[in-house]
Amino acid sequence: MAKLLGTAQAGTMESSDLLITLSPGTVGNGIQMTLESPMKIQYGDQIQAAVKAALTEFALADVTVDINDKGALDCTIQARVRTAVERAGLEG
């Protein structure tokens, strides 16, 4: 399993985007997410699934994720996660 080296953000607070912050998590806690979104009731599970799918591409398991969504599509979500991971750096 890979580990994040630091904390990083990607995205904006503009409409149809999201701001995501990734931080190294406590070992054994898995992926811990907080989600702020006007579409949380309708699409919250889908947003979290898109983030989790992007994180598993990097074999990340213990990560703290803060998401502030403004209506981003899945492709945007995945791009923002990848950018934040690259900015934070990986170990392992």
Side-chain angles (χ1 to χ4, degrees), residues 36-66:
E36 296 284 330
S37 175
M39 280 70 91
K40 185 176 182 175
I41 293 171
Q42 291 175 311
Y43 300 110
D45 291 341
Q46 183 177 347
I47 293 166
Q48 291 179 339
V51 170
K52 195 172 279 191
L55 290 173
T56 57
E57 289 179 21
F58 293 96
L60 288 166
D62 298 313
V63 182
T64 300
V65 183
D66 293 316

Side-chain angles (χ1 to χ4, degrees), residues 14-44:
E14 299 293 323
S15 180
S16 300
D17 202 353
L18 81 158
L19 180 64
I20 190 161
T21 305
L22 301 179
S23 302
T26 305
V27 175
N29 279 354
I31 298 171
Q32 301 294 313
M33 285 192 227
T34 58
L35 172 62
E36 296 284 330
S37 175
M39 280 70 91
K40 185 176 182 175
I41 293 171
Q42 291 175 311
Y43 300 110

Side-chain angles (χ1 to χ4, degrees), residues 61-77:
D62 298 313
V63 182
T64 300
V65 183
D66 293 316
I67 307 161
N68 196 322
D69 174 65
K70 299 295 182 190
L73 298 173
D74 283 359
C75 57
T76 303
I77 294 169

